[in-house]
Amino acid sequence: AALERLLPDQVRVVRGSDEVMSPLATVVEGDVLRFLAGERIAVDGVVVKHAAAVDEQLITGESHAVEKRPGDRVFAGSLDLDGELLIQATAPAGQGTLQSIVNSVRAAALRKDQYLRLADRIAAWFTPLVILAAIGTFLYHANSGRLIDGLLAAVAVVLIACPCALGLAT
């Protein structure tokens, strides 16, 4: 959601010699848009006129600005640093590189939630079973020998089943 909020709600669409402010959602492939210095580029596209330094760090991770000239590709979410750019949209609003990243992050978050639920279900049974096994081991060894042997055997069961348990407890 934070990535999507970076994009402007309104863009300047150039139609002939006219320039019209339009909602970003209405931009279609082939529209020519005008961006000024300090503005975020709202769609993936190709520079058709002018040149400017563009910060693409959000998309590419490159820490230095890249000079964009006519014919160069630009990505939604990039920041126009120092000049005017006329860009022809190569994808409709909401279907560019930034949206693909947003969709991938959302899908990964959903998968993570599924794995966490599965781990919680397994832990709900696994932990009591390990405790029962440790108690059983303790009782068996304590009855057949010394109390310390039973305690060491029980700790060994817990350590083998849950190596992190002792570290967390310590």
Side-chain angles (χ1 to χ4, degrees):
L3 288 174
E4 290 176 314
R5 284 194 298 270
L6 290 175
L7 299 179
D9 295 329
Q10 299 279 319
V11 292
R12 290 179 203 84
V13 179
V14 178
R15 293 192 175 97
S17 62
D18 294 334
E19 186 177 297
V20 180
M21 289 300 284
S22 297
L24 177 59
T26 63
V27 173
V28 295
E29 186 175 342
D31 280 352
V32 176
L33 308 171
R34 180 173 172 237
F35 296 97
L36 303 176
E39 293 181 339
R40 288 241 177 237
I41 296 170
V43 295
D44 287 1
V46 175
V47 177
V48 293
K49 191 174 181 185
H50 304 297
V54 174
D55 179 0
E56 296 179 329
Q57 185 172 1
L58 180 68
I59 304 298
T60 65
E62 178 62 45
S63 62
H64 299 289
V66 179
E67 186 70 22
K68 296 294 182 173
R69 301 184 191 311
D72 291 342
R73 289 187 49 81
V74 291
F75 303 102
S78 300
L79 181 62
D80 181 350
L81 294 175
D82 67 357
E84 175 184 351
L85 289 174
L86 287 180
I87 297 170
Q88 184 173 24
T90 57
Q95 293 185 8
T97 304
L98 184 64
Q99 191 61 46
S100 296
I101 293 170
V102 169
N103 293 340
S104 295
V105 169
R106 282 190 178 134
L110 289 175
R111 278 195 306 274
K112 181 180 177 185
D113 288 346
Q114 292 171 347
Y115 293 134
L116 287 175
R117 283 193 299 272
L118 176 63
D120 287 344
R121 275 189 270 146
I122 291 170
W125 289 97
F126 184 74
T127 303
L129 288 175
V130 169
I131 292 170
L132 283 175
I135 291 171
T137 302
F138 172 76
L139 292 174
Y140 174 78
H141 285 283
N143 285 336
S144 63
R146 297 182 350 199
L147 194 63
I148 192 73
D149 291 339
L151 184 61
L152 289 173
V155 169
V157 167
V158 172
L159 280 176
I160 290 170
C162 311
C164 296
L166 188 62
L168 290 173
T170 302

